[in-house]
Amino acid sequence: MRTFIYYSIATLVSLALHGGLLWLVMSTWHTEPEPPRLKRPEFVKATLVELKAKAPKKVEKGRKADPVKKIDLAAQRKKAQAEKKRIEKAKADKKQQLAKQKAERDKAARKKAQKARQAKEAAAKAKAAKQKAEKQALEKKRQAEQAAIEKALQEEEMMLAQQAEAQVVNSYKAVIMDRIAQKWSRPPSARRGMQCELVIQLVPTGKIITVNIVKGSGNAAFDRSAEQAVHAVDQIPELQGMDIGVFERNFRTIHLLFNPEDRRL
Amino acid sequence: MSIRLIVLMCLLVLSTQGYANLFIEINRGNDNPAPIAIVPFAKSQGLPENVQKIIAANLERSGFFKPIPPADMLALPTTQEEVVFRDWRLSGAHFLVIGELQKEPTGYAVSYKLFDVLSQKVMHAAVVKGSDEGLRDISHAISDTVYEKITGIRGIFGTKMLYVQDLKRPGASRYRLMYADVDGARARALVKSSQPILSPTWSNDGKRIAYVSFETSRPAIYVMNLATGQATQMTNFKGLNGAPAFSPDGSHLAMVLSKDGSPDIYVMNIATRQLRRITKDRYIDTEPNWSVDGTAVIFTSNRGGSPQIYQVNVNSGRPERLTFEGDYNARPRVTPDGKSMVMVHRQNGVFHIASQDMASGDMRILTETWLDESPSIAPNGAMLLYATQRNNKGVLGAVSMDAGIKFLLPSGQGDVREPAWGPYLN
């Protein structure tokens, strides 16, 4: 009864373990359908800012000399000179004024332009900052997603590798099974239900170096036939081409169960 | 409780890890005769019998061995020191027998060794002694031991057989009851008669035989003591007196008598000659054979329209039909383990020897020539003898019950039929 409780606990625990493992496998397999591995287009809102200021128009006026009338030389000259001076002065004044005006105008315009530019730049800057922040957040999100994908990929790859190895191991198992079955010649006293378990050890050349009966059938002739079958095979040359890691993990030591299911009796 | 749980879980994990070794199940095989090398024994040349040849022939006929001819042997060792296992492996041998023959003041002594070539081990070593004329007995004894060591089944090469020979020309010794080794050698006539001899059979201890002879012009059952050669007439009823069969304890004889009308099964106490009728009907009941425990007799009857096999309890007399397949099943013989019986079975108009599992009723055909009859099972249950036709001549065939290996025994003149495989003699 105690043993029964032990076993039932063991069974329950193993069931729970298996169930948990199964659930894990199923859940990781299904709830995370691989997100499409597409690179999201990154939109950057760019605004063209015109920095070229409008070139001020040069006003050229009164460059042409007035027609000079020479009547009274001296007075006229004086007058003229004065006049000239006055005119020139006026001219210069005007010019100066004009220049001053122009400069002021220019300055204002420049100031305005600059102001506009600055405002624009600030706006752009703010926008850029905002965009950058958005981009960063996006990037962060993307990176997280990428990491998750990579992790999933890695896991999948590992699983695939394991599956691939299991497949390789199974195919070699079939080869070994076939080679030994070919050489297994049972004595007439062999009966269905007799079982003999052997442990054999191999080296990477496929050579079988030790053969040991770990559980006999009770029929010495039957057990010998199993041992002889392995000795007769001697080497499994197919194993030579195998990856050494796969060999070490699986084929260094092999349990063989001889179970003559094909016997009529 | 929780600690136990944890321990259990740890154990579980450990056990699953511990069984990380690759596990391969070999659930089929390729049953081929085992190649065996029997090296000619030292000092065995120039003797009246070729010991090596007799052993090789015995093992080959069993169906489970393929002897390697001495011409193909790379060396002929006679002592263990001379054995190079690699050479024998190269020759394809799985087993090896070497030995030495010594002439003794009276007879011979053969010491021999049996090797497992593939495991490079001595499996058996023994000395067998025999008389001056006993070289065949020594050979058969060695064959028996080698066979038993390798197959796990007791050998039958030292047993004897009876059969009836018909020289097919009128004369005082046209019909002969023959006694021979099961390989057909050393045949000698126990009874010679101008009238037919039928149904030879053995007692379980191998000391007596019974047969039917017509020498008194009507069939009568005789029991002969093999040691003295003295034959005693057991029956002299009118009508049919036939098909005797010793009970397992040798005290009774089952037989067929028609003194009361149609042929029926009777059992006679050999010591008191007291007769008991087992079947009582208007059909033909014949060919009785005892069950292993001696409580029942199986026989052939046509009560169902066609010949089929029935079993009747000797005490209650209640019959039970055993065969249902085919339109003809006759000559039942129970195997020594009592688990199956062999019989003559007709399918599509052809007679075969078939075996039927007593428990399940499953039938299997063992021989595939036509006109096979009179199966007789070896005491180890692994082979059976039967009579068949070859070139319009009655010959004896043998078949291994398991491997289906068939061979014909060398035959002399005339027809041979009704083989009876004798029991173990010790």
Side-chain angles (χ1 to χ4, degrees):
Chain A
M1 198 56 205
R2 271 172 83 91
T3 48
F4 175 73
I5 288 167
Y6 287 154
Y7 280 123
S8 65
I9 289 166
T11 315
L12 277 173
V13 167
S14 78
L15 268 173
L17 250 168
H18 280 83
L21 283 172
L22 203 72
W23 176 80
L24 263 172
V25 169
M26 300 285 276
S27 63
T28 49
W29 191 267
H30 285 296
T31 54
E32 281 220 335
E34 198 188 322
R37 265 186 279 146
L38 290 172
K39 216 166 190 181
R40 261 165 222 228
E42 291 166 30
F43 294 105
V44 178
K45 261 190 196 160
T47 340
L48 205 64
V49 180
E50 200 141 10
L51 288 172
K52 225 198 288 170
K54 269 168 196 157
K57 262 180 195 160
K58 253 185 186 161
V59 188
E60 260 187 277
K61 267 181 192 168
R63 258 284 143 107
K64 278 167 201 165
D66 291 341
V68 178
K69 285 173 188 170
K70 285 179 182 176
I71 306 158
D72 188 1
L73 273 173
Q76 265 192 346
R77 199 176 286 158
K78 232 181 183 173
K79 205 184 163 187
Q81 257 175 349
E83 185 72 4
K84 200 181 171 186
K85 244 179 198 170
R86 197 192 51 84
I87 289 169
E88 266 173 12
K89 200 184 169 229
K91 244 186 199 169
D93 279 357
K94 198 163 185 191
K95 209 176 174 180
Q96 215 175 344
Q97 205 183 342
L98 272 171
K100 203 179 168 185
Q101 270 176 2
K102 191 187 159 232
E104 265 167 19
R105 230 177 24 243
D106 279 3
K107 204 177 165 188
R110 256 207 308 278
K111 231 178 193 167
K112 202 179 164 192
Q114 202 180 346
K115 232 180 197 167
R117 204 171 60 217
Q118 269 172 355
K120 245 180 197 167
E121 265 173 9
K125 227 181 205 166
K127 209 171 181 180
K130 201 178 158 198
Q131 272 177 357
K132 203 178 164 192
E134 269 172 14
K135 213 170 119 186
Q136 268 175 353
L138 221 74
E139 178 72 9
K140 228 179 201 167
K141 204 175 151 198
R142 202 183 57 79
Q143 271 175 0
E145 273 170 7
Q146 186 75 21
I149 288 168
E150 262 162 26
K151 203 179 158 210
L153 265 173
Q154 221 170 22
E155 274 168 7
E156 201 185 322
E157 261 163 31
M158 248 166 77
M159 207 160 74
L160 280 174
Q162 273 170 7
Q163 274 176 2
E165 180 165 333
Q167 227 166 41
V168 167
V169 167
N170 272 337
S171 66
Y172 280 101
K173 252 171 99 167
V175 167
I176 293 168
M177 193 268 164
D178 206 55
R179 279 202 174 257
I180 296 173
Q182 277 293 317
K183 296 282 182 186
W184 189 24
S185 189
R186 284 77 54 95
S189 57
R191 290 288 176 272
R192 255 202 322 248
M194 282 184 185
Q195 291 194 347
C196 174
E197 198 180 323
L198 267 63
V199 171
I200 64 171
Q201 288 188 308
L202 294 99
V203 288
T205 57
K207 182 104 176 154
I208 297 161
I209 49 167
T210 65
V211 182
N212 282 305
I213 296 175
V214 290
K215 217 167 96 196
S217 64
N219 178 329
F222 179 81
D223 295 352
R224 186 182 313 103
S225 76
E227 201 184 340
Q228 277 211 338
V230 178
H231 280 303
V233 168
D234 189 47
Q235 187 174 18
I236 294 151
E238 285 86 351
L239 293 181
Q240 281 171 357
M242 182 186 282
D243 176 70
I244 189 72
V246 177
F247 176 85
E248 291 294 346
R249 277 193 293 280
N250 303 285
F251 292 96
R252 178 67 74 178
T253 304
I254 302 174
H255 281 255
L256 297 175
L257 178 72
F258 287 79
N259 182 18
E261 284 175 351
D262 60 328
R263 290 284 295 197
R264 186 181 53 81
L265 292 169
Chain B
M1 199 62 198
S2 62
I3 292 169
R4 274 187 193 164
L5 230 130
I6 289 163
V7 168
L8 266 168
M9 277 180 85
C10 287
L11 276 174
L12 251 163
V13 171
L14 280 174
S15 66
T16 48
Q17 278 183 342
Y19 228 75
N21 279 335
L22 200 62
F23 196 93
I24 301 177
E25 183 174 342
I26 318 291
N27 58 9
R28 58 185 161 83
N30 189 10
D31 296 332
N32 285 318
I36 185 167
I38 295 132
V39 181
F41 293 167
K43 298 173 204 148
S44 66
Q45 283 72 35
L47 294 171
E49 299 283 359
N50 186 335
V51 174
Q52 189 273 344
K53 216 170 170 176
I54 294 169
I55 298 172
N58 277 344
L59 294 178
E60 182 163 28
R61 270 200 303 273
S62 76
F64 299 111
F65 292 92
K66 195 181 88 195
I68 292 170
D72 294 353
M73 294 177 186
L74 295 172
L76 300 175
T78 55
T79 64
Q80 192 172 351
E81 291 72 41
E82 293 168 5
V83 172
V84 181
F85 285 115
R86 200 184 52 243
D87 287 355
W88 293 106
R89 217 194 138 94
L90 276 175
S91 319
H94 289 184
F95 299 99
L96 169 68
V97 179
I98 60 164
E100 190 181 0
L101 193 140
Q102 294 284 348
K103 182 78 187 85
E104 299 208 318
T106 55
Y108 299 94
V110 176
S111 58
Y112 70 97
K113 277 194 171 109
L114 166 65
F115 297 93
D116 177 341
V117 172
L118 298 177
S119 302
Q120 312 198 346
K121 283 182 222 158
V122 178
M123 282 168 66
H124 185 69
V127 180
V128 182
K129 294 189 181 190
S131 67
D132 281 335
E133 295 78 39
L135 279 171
R136 284 200 91 90
D137 292 325
I138 291 173
S139 309
H140 290 327
I142 295 172
S143 307
D144 280 342
T145 309
V146 167
Y147 178 89
E148 183 170 353
K149 290 288 165 195
I150 295 172
T151 64
I153 293 176
R154 191 169 170 187
I156 37 71
F157 307 109
T159 57
K160 303 283 183 180
M161 66 174 171
L162 300 169
Y163 59 89
V164 177
Q165 187 175 25
D166 176 2
L167 297 179
K168 282 189 158 176
R169 51 165 194 264
S173 61
R174 173 177 170 177
Y175 296 97
R176 298 161 170 222
L177 175 57
M178 303 297 288
Y179 174 90
D181 289 4
V182 282
D183 61 2
R186 293 196 288 190
R188 67 185 167 94
L190 295 175
V191 179
K192 291 180 189 172
S193 170
S194 60
Q195 298 302 314
I197 297 168
L198 299 170
S199 310
T201 187
W202 294 81
S203 69
N204 270 11
D205 60 6
K207 287 179 177 151
R208 289 171 296 168
I209 59 167
Y211 58 93
V212 174
S213 170
F214 283 67
E215 58 198 81
T216 57
S217 80
R218 79 176 185 202
I221 294 169
Y222 292 79
V223 168
M224 179 189 272
N225 184 315
L226 278 178
T228 62
Q230 200 181 348
T232 312
Q233 188 177 343
M234 303 299 291
T235 64
N236 189 23
F237 301 107
K238 69 175 168 59
L240 198 66
N241 295 246
F246 284 97
S247 64
D249 64 2
S251 63
H252 289 74
L253 212 52
M255 60 183 70
V256 177
L257 301 172
S258 64
K259 64 187 183 69
D260 302 316
S262 65
D264 274 313
I265 310 294
Y266 291 78
V267 170
M268 178 187 270
N269 183 313
I270 294 171
T272 65
R273 304 277 175 108
Q274 206 182 356
L275 211 55
R276 260 181 70 203
R277 191 173 177 179
I278 303 298
T279 65
K280 196 185 272 184
D281 52 52
R282 55 189 178 85
Y283 304 102
I284 298 168
D285 299 329
T286 186
E287 298 164 355
N289 193 244
W290 293 83
S291 68
V292 175
D293 61 5
T295 61
V297 167
I298 58 172
F299 62 98
T300 312
S301 173
N302 68 343
R303 63 187 65 191
S306 64
Q308 295 292 347
I309 294 161
Y310 296 79
Q311 175 170 330
V312 61
N313 185 294
V314 179
N315 298 315
S316 71
R318 194 159 43 85
E320 180 195 348
R321 184 169 166 174
L322 298 180
T323 56
F324 297 92
E325 233 175 282
D327 57 5
Y328 182 104
N329 290 295
R331 278 278 193 158
R333 291 281 181 275
V334 182
T335 55
D337 62 8
K339 285 181 180 162
S340 53
M341 61 176 177
V342 295
M343 69 200 90
V344 178
H345 170 72
R346 187 171 71 189
Q347 206 170 59
N348 306 326
V350 180
F351 290 98
H352 303 283
I353 306 297
S355 82
Q356 178 169 321
D357 189 285
M358 290 295 248
S360 69
D362 290 343
M363 190 183 271
R364 195 169 60 103
I365 288 171
L366 297 172
T367 65
E368 274 150 21
T369 51
W370 60 301
L371 284 176
D372 297 337
E373 56 176 45
S374 304
S376 176
I377 305 166
N380 66 359
M383 291 175 84
L384 65 85
L385 283 166
Y386 61 101
T388 186
Q389 295 276 327
R390 171 60 72 86
N391 303 327
N392 280 327
K393 198 176 157 200
V395 295
L396 298 184
V399 60
S400 96
M401 297 270 281
D402 213 32
I405 306 289
K406 288 179 276 283
F407 62 91
L408 295 178
L409 288 172
S411 66
Q413 330 161 39
D415 278 350
V416 291
R417 55 176 181 250
E418 298 204 82
W421 203 315
Y424 290 120
L425 291 174
N426 48 5

